[in-house]
């Protein structure tokens, strides 16, 4: 019940597919990147295969085998192979579900009007080399990649939220500190005003009531006697 099989870099000595049989009939994804393939003639019948990766090999033709052995193919990657002519791609017409074809780094891409010619030859195609006929890039359809992107976005969102909360907390702390300083300044100013008012009242009291001088004068008056009283005492 194998649905995905990756044979990348498993070099083929004779340039043909080796080891695959009808036992892999449930395959939906097959990758044979850089295995020195010259031909796909030995490919078994894979009716359920949807995506086939054949990049970085030496395939130059024989694509009619794909139409016969993988009739439901939707994605085909032939980048980095030896495909030189548009006519080499003609057998792909028989793949009605093929909507993504990659020929990057193939000589055929150097031809004049290459993209227009391929889209005209294979009208079922939606994307060629990752872009549609209007040069719009193909969306990433890899579920795992999409999941990673969502996780990264979620983590970044949490980090941003944490940063926002920290900034808000810092601003609140700064506001509290400023209010505390203003209150302390207000208390200090009131105390200073009260002290100054007290000193002024004491000074005014001293000026209005020179008690010290009055007391001194009264004592001096008590110490002096009337001369007439002294003469009366002598007569007696």
């Amino acid at each position: 019940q194998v649905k995905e099989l990756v044979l990348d870099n498993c070099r083929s000595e004779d340039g043909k597919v080796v080891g695959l049989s009808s036992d892999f009939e449930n395959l939906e994804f097959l990758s044979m990147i850089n295995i020195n393939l010259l031909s796909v003639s030995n490919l078994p019948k894979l009716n359920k295969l949807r995506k086939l990766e054949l990049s970085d090999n030496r395939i130059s033709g024989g694509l009619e085998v794909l139409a016969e052995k993988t009739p439901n193919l939707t994605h085909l990657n032939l980048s980095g192979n030896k495909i030189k002519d548009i006519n080499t791609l003609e057998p792909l017409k028989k793949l009605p579900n093929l909507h993504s074809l990659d020929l990057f780094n193939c000589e055929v891409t150097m031809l004049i009007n290459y993209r227009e010619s391929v889209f005209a030859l294979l009208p079922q195609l939606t994307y060629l080399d990752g872009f549609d006929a209007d040069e719009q890039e193909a969306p990433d359809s890899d579920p795992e990649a999409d999941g990673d992107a969502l996780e990264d976005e979620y983590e970044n969102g949490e980090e941003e939220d944490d940063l926002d909360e920290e900034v808000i907390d810092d601003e609140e702390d700064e506001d509290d500190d400023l209010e505390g300083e203003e209150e302390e300044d207000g208390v200090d100013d009131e105390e200073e005003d009260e002290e100054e008012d007290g000193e002024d009242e004491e000074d005014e009291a001293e000026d209005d009531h020179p008690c010290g001088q009055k007391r001194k004068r009264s004592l001096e008056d008590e110490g002096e006697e009337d001369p007439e009283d002294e003469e009366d005492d002598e007569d007696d």
Side-chain angles (χ1 to χ4, degrees):
Q1 296 295 322
V2 178
K3 293 185 176 181
E4 296 186 6
L5 183 61
V6 177
L7 300 174
D8 299 350
N9 302 312
C10 298
R11 307 288 286 184
S12 172
E13 293 183 0
D14 59 359
K16 295 181 180 181
V17 178
V18 179
L20 286 179
S21 65
S22 58
D23 293 338
F24 294 92
E25 61 182 5
N26 291 314
L27 274 183
E28 296 178 5
F29 173 83
L30 175 60
S31 182
M32 296 186 290
I33 298 173
N34 190 32
I35 65 171
N36 197 38
L37 274 186
L38 292 171
S39 169
V40 290
S41 59
N42 286 358
L43 203 63
K45 184 78 169 181
L46 301 172
N47 287 327
K48 295 183 180 180
L49 194 67
R50 296 287 185 273
K51 189 171 183 178
L52 180 58
E53 294 279 345
L54 295 172
S55 60
D56 298 327
N57 286 292
R58 296 188 294 162
I59 298 170
S60 59
L63 299 182
E64 60 274 0
V65 175
L66 296 179
E68 179 186 347
K69 301 292 182 68
T70 60
N72 293 306
L73 204 62
T74 61
H75 292 71
L76 177 60
N77 189 345
L78 290 169
S79 62
N81 279 278
K82 304 296 181 180
I83 297 173
K84 300 178 180 180
D85 303 317
I86 296 291
N87 293 335
T88 305
L89 304 173
E90 192 166 356
L92 299 181
K93 282 182 177 182
K94 296 179 181 180
L95 292 171
N97 298 317
L98 185 67
H99 71 260
S100 178
L101 175 63
D102 197 334
L103 298 169
F104 182 71
N105 270 348
C106 292
E107 290 184 38
V108 68
T109 62
M110 304 300 292
L111 298 176
I112 298 174
N113 298 325
Y114 149 71
R115 289 181 59 82
E116 292 83 351
S117 299
V118 174
F119 277 118
L121 178 66
L122 305 172
Q124 76 272 35
L125 274 188
T126 303
Y127 298 105
L128 176 62
D129 302 334
F131 293 86
D132 65 15
D134 297 324
E135 300 295 334
Q136 297 297 314
E137 188 172 6
D140 186 358
S141 59
D142 187 350
E144 293 182 359
D146 293 341
D148 293 341
L150 289 173
E151 287 178 3
D152 293 340
E153 184 178 351
Y154 179 72
E155 290 175 359
N156 291 335
E158 283 186 342
E159 291 176 0
E160 289 177 359
D161 291 341
D162 292 340
L163 289 174
D164 292 340
E165 288 177 0
E166 289 178 3
V167 171
I168 292 171
D169 290 341
D170 292 340
E171 290 177 354
E172 289 177 353
D173 292 340
E174 289 178 0
D175 293 340
D176 292 341
D177 293 340
L178 289 173
E179 289 177 1
E181 290 177 0
E182 289 176 357
E183 289 176 358
E184 289 177 1
D185 292 342
V187 171
D188 293 340
D189 293 340
E190 289 177 1
E191 289 178 354
E192 289 177 0
D193 293 340
E194 288 177 358
E195 289 177 0
E196 290 177 358
D197 293 341
E199 290 176 359
D200 293 340
E201 288 175 359
E202 288 178 2
D203 293 340
E204 289 176 0
E206 289 179 358
D207 293 339
D208 295 341
H209 305 287
C211 296
Q213 294 179 3
K214 284 186 177 181
R215 186 176 180 186
K216 185 177 180 182
R217 288 176 185 171
S218 60
L219 289 174
E220 288 176 357
D221 292 341
E222 289 177 359
E224 293 179 358
E225 294 183 358
D226 189 353
E228 292 179 356
D229 293 337
E230 290 179 359
E231 288 177 359
D232 292 338
D233 292 338
E234 289 176 359
D235 290 339
D236 292 338

